[in-house]
Amino acid sequence: MLKHTYEGQDCNLARSLEVIGERWTLLIIRSALLGITRFDGFLSHLDIARNVLSTRLSRLVEHEIMERVPYQDKPVRYEYRLTPVGRDLTRAVIALMQWGDRNLPQELGPPRRADHIGCDGSVHVELRCTDCGRTVHDEEVDVRRIR
């Protein structure tokens, strides 16, 4: 189990993983990207324990990745919608899907694909240099400390 503090470390990846790095959390985000918004929808789609789902959704709301919005008055019921912060995880989710398609392929091919709404073209995540605008390949990347 990872520690929840990183004394002596300054790591943007570790900080991000503390919020979204747990398996169920990423699957909830993926389900939300698929259009699922209600508690029971997440339950049936993910086959997740109620208490685990409740805890993960509360944490996503706490970190403003999802928002809890009432959809019914009597009794009051809520749905969970991705915020712009949550939508910003689209690239990360698609990148993980593509990594799995390349490195953990299934015999029948990928079960999901990310498509561009409007033209139905396939969407993929790529690395691009902010200075020259060129697509950058994995072996051309140097991750380094900047402070």
Side-chain angles (χ1 to χ4, degrees):
M1 161 105 42
L2 288 174
K3 298 183 291 182
H4 288 281
T5 60
Y6 296 92
E7 289 181 33
Q9 290 189 42
D10 184 19
C11 180
N12 42 5
L13 179 60
R15 220 175 35 256
S16 299
L17 289 174
E18 280 305 311
V19 177
I20 62 162
E22 192 274 330
R23 172 186 178 217
W24 287 118
T25 302
L26 281 172
L27 292 175
I28 290 167
I29 292 166
R30 187 233 26 218
S31 296
L33 289 168
L34 290 171
I36 295 169
T37 59
R38 297 186 180 171
F39 191 90
D40 288 341
F42 289 114
L43 269 181
S44 62
H45 189 255
L46 295 172
D47 195 26
I48 183 174
R50 293 182 83 82
N51 63 323
V52 173
L53 177 58
S54 181
T55 300
R56 298 306 182 276
L57 286 171
S58 293
R59 190 156 168 78
L60 288 167
V61 169
E62 173 189 339
H63 287 280
E64 299 180 357
I65 293 168
M66 298 185 100
E67 62 184 341
R68 199 170 164 228
V69 180
Y71 71 87
Q72 178 179 306
D73 289 332
K74 294 182 182 180
V76 177
R77 297 206 187 276
Y78 297 90
E79 62 184 9
Y80 296 85
R81 295 185 192 156
L82 288 169
T83 64
V85 173
R87 274 264 168 220
D88 197 27
L89 289 165
T90 301
R91 283 178 292 285
V93 171
I94 292 171
L96 285 169
M97 288 169 52
Q98 291 172 341
W99 181 88
D101 294 344
R102 281 190 308 274
N103 297 288
L104 306 168
Q106 293 182 336
E107 190 174 319
L108 297 175
R112 291 183 177 78
R113 185 179 81 189
D115 290 337
H116 179 204
I117 296 172
C119 80
D120 285 336
S122 182
V123 173
H124 68 278
V125 176
E126 66 180 16
L127 301 172
R128 185 171 300 279
C129 178
T130 59
D131 286 348
C132 71
R134 194 172 66 78
T135 298
V136 178
H137 299 282
D138 299 339
E139 61 276 0
E140 298 175 285
V141 176
D142 182 21
V143 177
R144 57 179 86 146
R145 181 175 285 284
I146 57 173
R147 56 181 165 96

Coordinates of all heavy atoms in Angstrom, one line a residue, residues 80-145:
Y80 N -24.2 12.0 -11.0 CA -22.8 12.4 -10.9 C -22.4 12.8 -12.3 O -22.4 11.9 -13.2 CB -22.0 11.4 -10.2 CG -22.4 11.1 -8.8 CD1 -23.4 10.2 -8.5 CD2 -21.7 11.8 -7.8 CE1 -23.8 10.0 -7.2 CE2 -22.1 11.5 -6.5 CZ -23.1 10.7 -6.2 OH -23.5 10.4 -4.9
R81 N -22.0 14.0 -12.5 CA -21.6 14.5 -13.8 C -20.1 14.9 -13.7 O -19.7 15.5 -12.8 CB -22.4 15.7 -14.3 CG -23.9 15.3 -14.5 CD -24.6 16.5 -15.0 NE -26.0 16.3 -15.0 CZ -26.9 17.3 -14.9 NH1 -26.5 18.6 -15.0 NH2 -28.2 17.1 -14.9
L82 N -19.4 14.6 -14.8 CA -18.0 15.1 -14.9 C -18.0 16.6 -15.0 O -18.8 17.2 -15.7 CB -17.3 14.5 -16.1 CG -17.0 13.0 -16.1 CD1 -16.6 12.5 -17.4 CD2 -15.9 12.7 -15.0
T83 N -17.1 17.2 -14.3 CA -16.8 18.7 -14.4 C -15.8 18.9 -15.5 O -15.3 17.9 -16.0 CB -16.3 19.2 -13.0 OG1 -15.0 18.6 -12.8 CG2 -17.2 18.9 -11.9
P84 N -15.5 20.1 -15.8 CA -14.4 20.3 -16.7 C -13.1 19.7 -16.3 O -12.3 19.2 -17.1 CB -14.3 21.9 -16.8 CG -15.7 22.3 -16.5 CD -16.2 21.4 -15.5
V85 N -12.8 19.7 -15.0 CA -11.6 19.0 -14.4 C -11.7 17.5 -14.7 O -10.7 16.9 -15.1 CB -11.5 19.2 -12.9 CG1 -10.4 18.4 -12.3 CG2 -11.3 20.7 -12.6
G86 N -12.9 16.9 -14.6 CA -13.1 15.5 -14.9 C -12.9 15.2 -16.3 O -12.3 14.2 -16.8
R87 N -13.5 16.1 -17.2 CA -13.4 15.9 -18.6 C -12.0 16.0 -19.1 O -11.6 15.4 -20.1 CB -14.3 17.0 -19.3 CG -15.7 16.6 -19.5 CD -15.8 16.1 -20.9 NE -17.1 15.4 -21.0 CZ -17.4 14.3 -21.6 NH1 -16.4 13.7 -22.2 NH2 -18.6 13.8 -21.6
D88 N -11.2 16.7 -18.3 CA -9.8 16.9 -18.7 C -9.0 15.5 -18.6 O -7.9 15.4 -19.1 CB -9.1 17.9 -17.8 CG -7.8 18.4 -18.3 OD1 -7.6 18.4 -19.6 OD2 -7.0 18.9 -17.5
L89 N -9.6 14.5 -18.0 CA -9.0 13.2 -17.9 C -9.3 12.4 -19.1 O -8.8 11.2 -19.2 CB -9.6 12.5 -16.6 CG -9.0 13.1 -15.3 CD1 -9.9 12.6 -14.1 CD2 -7.6 12.7 -15.1
T90 N -10.1 12.9 -20.0 CA -10.4 12.1 -21.3 C -9.1 11.6 -21.9 O -9.0 10.4 -22.3 CB -11.2 13.0 -22.2 OG1 -12.4 13.4 -21.6 CG2 -11.5 12.2 -23.5
R91 N -8.1 12.5 -22.1 CA -6.9 12.1 -22.8 C -6.2 11.0 -22.0 O -5.6 10.0 -22.6 CB -5.9 13.3 -22.9 CG -6.4 14.2 -24.1 CD -5.4 15.4 -24.2 NE -5.6 16.3 -23.1 CZ -6.6 17.2 -22.9 NH1 -7.6 17.2 -23.7 NH2 -6.6 18.0 -21.8
A92 N -6.1 11.1 -20.7 CA -5.5 10.0 -19.9 C -6.2 8.7 -20.0 O -5.5 7.7 -20.1 CB -5.4 10.5 -18.4
V93 N -7.5 8.7 -20.0 CA -8.3 7.4 -20.1 C -8.0 6.8 -21.5 O -7.8 5.6 -21.6 CB -9.8 7.7 -19.8 CG1 -10.6 6.5 -20.1 CG2 -10.0 8.1 -18.3
I94 N -8.1 7.7 -22.5 CA -7.9 7.1 -23.9 C -6.4 6.6 -24.0 O -6.2 5.6 -24.6 CB -8.2 8.2 -24.9 CG1 -9.7 8.5 -24.9 CG2 -7.8 7.8 -26.3 CD1 -10.1 9.6 -25.8
A95 N -5.5 7.3 -23.4 CA -4.1 6.9 -23.5 C -3.9 5.5 -22.8 O -3.2 4.6 -23.4 CB -3.1 7.9 -22.9
L96 N -4.6 5.3 -21.7 CA -4.5 4.0 -21.0 C -5.2 2.9 -21.8 O -4.7 1.8 -21.9 CB -5.1 4.1 -19.6 CG -4.2 4.8 -18.6 CD1 -5.0 5.1 -17.3 CD2 -3.0 4.0 -18.3
M97 N -6.3 3.2 -22.5 CA -7.0 2.3 -23.3 C -6.1 1.9 -24.5 O -6.0 0.7 -24.8 CB -8.3 2.9 -23.9 CG -9.4 3.0 -22.9 SD -10.9 4.0 -23.4 CE -11.3 3.3 -25.0
Q98 N -5.5 2.9 -25.1 CA -4.6 2.6 -26.3 C -3.4 1.8 -25.8 O -3.0 0.9 -26.6 CB -4.2 3.9 -26.9 CG -5.3 4.6 -27.6 CD -4.9 6.0 -28.1 OE1 -4.0 6.6 -27.7 NE2 -5.7 6.5 -29.0
W99 N -2.8 2.1 -24.7 CA -1.7 1.3 -24.2 C -2.1 -0.2 -24.0 O -1.4 -1.1 -24.4 CB -1.2 1.9 -22.8 CG -0.1 1.1 -22.3 CD1 1.2 1.3 -22.5 CD2 -0.1 0.0 -21.4 NE1 2.0 0.4 -21.8 CE2 1.2 -0.4 -21.1 CE3 -1.2 -0.7 -20.8 CZ2 1.5 -1.5 -20.3 CZ3 -0.8 -1.8 -19.9 CH2 0.5 -2.1 -19.7
G100 N -3.3 -0.4 -23.4 CA -3.8 -1.8 -23.2 C -4.1 -2.5 -24.6 O -3.8 -3.7 -24.7
D101 N -4.6 -1.7 -25.6 CA -4.8 -2.3 -26.9 C -3.5 -2.8 -27.5 O -3.4 -3.8 -28.1 CB -5.5 -1.3 -27.8 CG -6.9 -1.0 -27.4 OD1 -7.5 -1.7 -26.5 OD2 -7.5 0.0 -27.9
R102 N -2.4 -2.0 -27.3 CA -1.1 -2.3 -27.9 C -0.4 -3.4 -27.1 O 0.2 -4.3 -27.7 CB -0.2 -1.1 -27.9 CG -0.5 -0.1 -29.0 CD 0.6 1.0 -29.1 NE 0.9 1.6 -27.9 CZ 0.2 2.7 -27.4 NH1 -0.8 3.2 -28.1 NH2 0.6 3.3 -26.3
N103 N -0.5 -3.4 -25.8 CA 0.4 -4.2 -25.0 C -0.3 -5.4 -24.3 O 0.3 -6.3 -23.8 CB 1.1 -3.3 -23.9 CG 2.0 -2.3 -24.6 OD1 3.0 -2.7 -25.1 ND2 1.6 -1.1 -24.6
L104 N -1.6 -5.3 -24.2 CA -2.4 -6.4 -23.6 C -3.6 -6.7 -24.6 O -4.8 -6.7 -24.2 CB -3.0 -6.0 -22.3 CG -1.9 -5.5 -21.3 CD1 -2.6 -4.8 -20.1 CD2 -1.0 -6.6 -20.8
P105 N -3.3 -7.1 -25.8 CA -4.4 -7.2 -26.8 C -5.3 -8.4 -26.5 O -4.9 -9.4 -25.9 CB -3.6 -7.4 -28.1 CG -2.3 -8.0 -27.7 CD -2.0 -7.4 -26.4
Q106 N -6.5 -8.3 -26.9 CA -7.5 -9.3 -26.8 C -7.7 -10.0 -28.2 O -7.5 -9.3 -29.2 CB -8.9 -8.8 -26.3 CG -8.8 -8.3 -24.9 CD -10.2 -7.8 -24.4 OE1 -11.0 -7.5 -25.2 NE2 -10.4 -7.9 -23.1
E107 N -8.0 -11.3 -28.2 CA -8.1 -12.0 -29.4 C -9.2 -11.3 -30.4 O -9.0 -11.3 -31.6 CB -8.5 -13.4 -29.1 CG -8.5 -14.3 -30.3 CD -8.7 -15.8 -30.0 OE1 -8.2 -16.3 -28.9 OE2 -9.4 -16.5 -30.7
L108 N -10.3 -10.9 -29.8 CA -11.3 -10.3 -30.7 C -11.1 -8.8 -30.9 O -11.9 -8.1 -31.6 CB -12.7 -10.4 -30.0 CG -13.1 -11.9 -29.8 CD1 -14.5 -11.9 -29.0 CD2 -13.3 -12.6 -31.1
G109 N -10.0 -8.2 -30.5 CA -9.7 -6.8 -30.7 C -10.2 -6.0 -29.5 O -10.8 -6.5 -28.6
P110 N -10.0 -4.7 -29.6 CA -10.4 -3.8 -28.5 C -12.0 -3.8 -28.3 O -12.7 -3.8 -29.3 CB -10.0 -2.4 -29.0 CG -9.0 -2.6 -30.1 CD -9.4 -4.0 -30.7
P111 N -12.4 -3.8 -27.0 CA -13.8 -3.8 -26.8 C -14.4 -2.4 -26.9 O -15.7 -2.2 -27.1 CB -13.9 -4.2 -25.3 CG -12.6 -3.9 -24.7 CD -11.6 -4.0 -25.8
R112 N -13.6 -1.3 -26.9 CA -14.1 0.1 -27.0 C -13.1 0.8 -27.9 O -11.9 0.5 -28.0 CB -14.2 0.8 -25.7 CG -15.2 0.2 -24.8 CD -15.3 1.0 -23.5 NE -16.4 0.5 -22.7 CZ -16.4 -0.6 -22.0 NH1 -15.3 -1.4 -21.9 NH2 -17.4 -1.0 -21.3
R113 N -13.6 1.9 -28.5 CA -12.8 2.8 -29.3 C -13.3 4.2 -29.1 O -14.5 4.4 -28.8 CB -13.0 2.4 -30.8 CG -12.1 3.2 -31.7 CD -12.3 2.8 -33.1 NE -13.5 3.5 -33.6 CZ -14.0 3.2 -34.8 NH1 -13.6 2.2 -35.6 NH2 -15.1 3.8 -35.2
A114 N -12.4 5.1 -29.1 CA -12.7 6.5 -28.9 C -12.9 7.1 -30.3 O -12.0 7.0 -31.2 CB -11.6 7.3 -28.2
D115 N -14.1 7.7 -30.6 CA -14.4 8.2 -31.9 C -14.7 9.7 -31.8 O -15.2 10.2 -30.8 CB -15.7 7.6 -32.4 CG -15.5 6.1 -32.9 OD1 -14.3 5.7 -33.1 OD2 -16.5 5.4 -32.9
H116 N -14.4 10.4 -32.9 CA -14.6 11.8 -33.0 C -16.1 12.0 -33.3 O -16.6 11.6 -34.3 CB -13.8 12.4 -34.1 CG -13.9 13.9 -34.3 ND1 -13.6 14.5 -35.5 CD2 -14.4 14.8 -33.5 CE1 -13.9 15.7 -35.4 NE2 -14.4 16.0 -34.2
I117 N -16.8 12.7 -32.4 CA -18.3 13.0 -32.6 C -18.4 13.9 -33.9 O -17.7 15.0 -33.9 CB -18.9 13.7 -31.4 CG1 -18.9 12.8 -30.2 CG2 -20.3 14.1 -31.7 CD1 -19.3 13.4 -28.9
G118 N -19.2 13.5 -34.8 CA -19.3 14.3 -36.0 C -18.9 13.6 -37.2 O -19.6 13.5 -38.2
C119 N -17.6 13.1 -37.2 CA -17.1 12.4 -38.4 C -16.9 10.9 -38.2 O -16.7 10.2 -39.1 CB -15.9 13.1 -38.9 SG -14.4 12.6 -38.1
D120 N -17.0 10.5 -36.9 CA -16.8 9.1 -36.5 C -15.4 8.6 -36.7 O -15.2 7.4 -36.7 CB -17.8 8.2 -37.2 CG -19.2 8.3 -36.6 OD1 -19.3 8.7 -35.4 OD2 -20.2 8.0 -37.2
G121 N -14.4 9.4 -37.0 CA -13.1 9.0 -37.1 C -12.5 8.6 -35.7 O -13.0 9.0 -34.7
S122 N -11.6 7.7 -35.7 CA -11.0 7.2 -34.5 C -10.0 8.3 -33.9 O -9.3 8.9 -34.6 CB -10.2 5.9 -34.8 OG -9.6 5.4 -33.6
V123 N -10.1 8.4 -32.6 CA -9.3 9.4 -31.9 C -8.2 8.7 -31.2 O -8.3 7.6 -30.7 CB -10.2 10.1 -30.8 CG1 -9.3 11.0 -29.9 CG2 -11.3 10.9 -31.5
H124 N -7.0 9.3 -31.3 CA -5.8 8.7 -30.5 C -5.1 9.9 -29.8 O -5.1 11.0 -30.2 CB -4.9 7.9 -31.5 CG -4.2 8.8 -32.5 ND1 -4.8 9.2 -33.7 CD2 -3.0 9.3 -32.5 CE1 -3.9 9.9 -34.3 NE2 -2.8 10.0 -33.6
V125 N -4.4 9.5 -28.8 CA -3.6 10.4 -28.0 C -2.2 10.4 -28.6 O -1.6 9.4 -28.9 CB -3.6 10.1 -26.5 CG1 -2.7 11.0 -25.7 CG2 -5.0 10.1 -26.0
E126 N -1.6 11.6 -28.7 CA -0.2 11.7 -29.2 C 0.6 12.8 -28.4 O 0.0 13.6 -27.8 CB -0.2 12.0 -30.7 CG -0.7 13.4 -31.1 CD -0.6 13.7 -32.6 OE1 -0.4 12.7 -33.4 OE2 -0.7 14.8 -32.9
L127 N 1.9 12.6 -28.4 CA 2.7 13.6 -27.8 C 3.1 14.6 -28.9 O 3.5 14.3 -30.0 CB 4.0 12.9 -27.2 CG 3.8 11.9 -26.2 CD1 5.1 11.1 -25.9 CD2 3.2 12.5 -25.0
R128 N 3.1 15.9 -28.5 CA 3.4 17.0 -29.4 C 4.3 18.0 -28.7 O 4.0 18.4 -27.6 CB 2.2 17.6 -30.0 CG 2.4 18.6 -31.1 CD 1.1 19.1 -31.8 NE 0.4 18.0 -32.4 CZ 0.7 17.5 -33.6 NH1 1.7 18.0 -34.3 NH2 -0.1 16.5 -34.1
C129 N 5.3 18.5 -29.4 CA 6.2 19.5 -28.8 C 5.6 20.9 -28.9 O 5.0 21.2 -29.9 CB 7.5 19.5 -29.6 SG 8.7 20.8 -29.0
T130 N 5.6 21.6 -27.7 CA 5.0 22.9 -27.7 C 5.8 23.9 -28.5 O 5.3 25.0 -28.9 CB 4.8 23.4 -26.2 OG1 6.1 23.4 -25.6 CG2 3.9 22.5 -25.5
D131 N 7.1 23.7 -28.7 CA 7.9 24.6 -29.4 C 7.9 24.5 -30.9 O 7.6 25.4 -31.6 CB 9.4 24.6 -28.9 CG 9.6 25.2 -27.6 OD1 8.7 25.9 -27.1 OD2 10.7 24.9 -27.0
C132 N 8.1 23.3 -31.4 CA 8.2 23.1 -32.9 C 6.9 22.5 -33.4 O 6.7 22.5 -34.6 CB 9.3 22.2 -33.2 SG 9.1 20.4 -32.8
G133 N 6.0 22.0 -32.6 CA 4.7 21.5 -33.0 C 4.7 20.1 -33.6 O 3.7 19.6 -34.0
R134 N 5.9 19.5 -33.7 CA 6.1 18.2 -34.2 C 5.6 17.1 -33.3 O 5.7 17.2 -32.1 CB 7.6 18.0 -34.5 CG 7.9 16.8 -35.4 CD 9.4 16.8 -35.8 NE 10.3 16.6 -34.7 CZ 10.5 15.4 -34.2 NH1 9.9 14.3 -34.7 NH2 11.4 15.3 -33.2
T135 N 5.0 16.0 -33.9 CA 4.7 14.8 -33.1 C 6.0 14.2 -32.6 O 7.0 14.1 -33.3 CB 3.9 13.8 -34.0 OG1 2.7 14.4 -34.4 CG2 3.6 12.6 -33.2
V136 N 6.0 13.9 -31.3 CA 7.2 13.3 -30.6 C 6.9 11.9 -30.3 O 5.9 11.5 -29.8 CB 7.4 14.1 -29.3 CG1 8.6 13.5 -28.6 CG2 7.6 15.6 -29.6
H137 N 7.9 11.0 -30.6 CA 7.8 9.6 -30.3 C 8.3 9.3 -28.9 O 9.1 10.1 -28.4 CB 8.6 8.8 -31.4 CG 8.1 9.0 -32.7 ND1 6.9 8.4 -33.2 CD2 8.5 9.8 -33.7 CE1 6.7 8.7 -34.4 NE2 7.6 9.6 -34.8
D138 N 7.8 8.2 -28.3 CA 8.2 7.9 -26.9 C 9.7 8.0 -26.6 O 10.1 8.5 -25.6 CB 7.7 6.5 -26.6 CG 6.2 6.3 -26.7 OD1 5.5 7.4 -26.6 OD2 5.7 5.2 -26.8
E139 N 10.5 7.4 -27.5 CA 11.9 7.4 -27.3 C 12.6 8.8 -27.4 O 13.8 9.0 -27.1 CB 12.6 6.4 -28.2 CG 12.5 6.7 -29.7 CD 11.2 6.2 -30.3 OE1 10.4 5.6 -29.6 OE2 11.0 6.4 -31.5
E140 N 11.8 9.8 -27.9 CA 12.4 11.2 -28.0 C 12.0 12.0 -26.7 O 12.2 13.2 -26.8 CB 11.8 11.8 -29.2 CG 12.1 11.2 -30.5 CD 11.5 11.9 -31.7 OE1 10.2 11.7 -31.9 OE2 12.1 12.7 -32.4
V141 N 11.4 11.4 -25.7 CA 11.0 12.1 -24.5 C 12.0 11.9 -23.4 O 12.4 10.8 -23.1 CB 9.6 11.7 -24.1 CG1 9.2 12.3 -22.8 CG2 8.6 11.9 -25.2
D142 N 12.3 13.0 -22.8 CA 13.2 13.0 -21.6 C 12.4 13.7 -20.4 O 12.2 14.8 -20.5 CB 14.5 13.8 -21.9 CG 15.5 13.8 -20.7 OD1 15.4 12.9 -19.9 OD2 16.3 14.7 -20.7
V143 N 12.1 12.9 -19.5 CA 11.4 13.4 -18.3 C 12.4 13.8 -17.3 O 13.3 13.0 -16.9 CB 10.4 12.3 -17.7 CG1 9.8 12.9 -16.4 CG2 9.4 11.9 -18.7
R144 N 12.4 15.1 -16.9 CA 13.5 15.6 -16.1 C 12.9 16.5 -15.0 O 11.8 17.1 -15.2 CB 14.5 16.3 -16.9 CG 14.1 17.4 -17.7 CD 15.2 18.1 -18.5 NE 15.5 17.4 -19.7 CZ 15.9 18.0 -20.8 NH1 16.1 19.3 -20.8 NH2 16.1 17.4 -21.9
R145 N 13.6 16.6 -13.9 CA 13.2 17.5 -12.8 C 13.5 19.0 -13.3 O 14.6 19.2 -13.9 CB 14.0 17.2 -11.6 CG 13.7 18.1 -10.4 CD 14.4 17.6 -9.2 NE 13.8 16.4 -8.6 CZ 12.7 16.4 -7.9 NH1 12.0 17.5 -7.7 NH2 12.3 15.3 -7.3

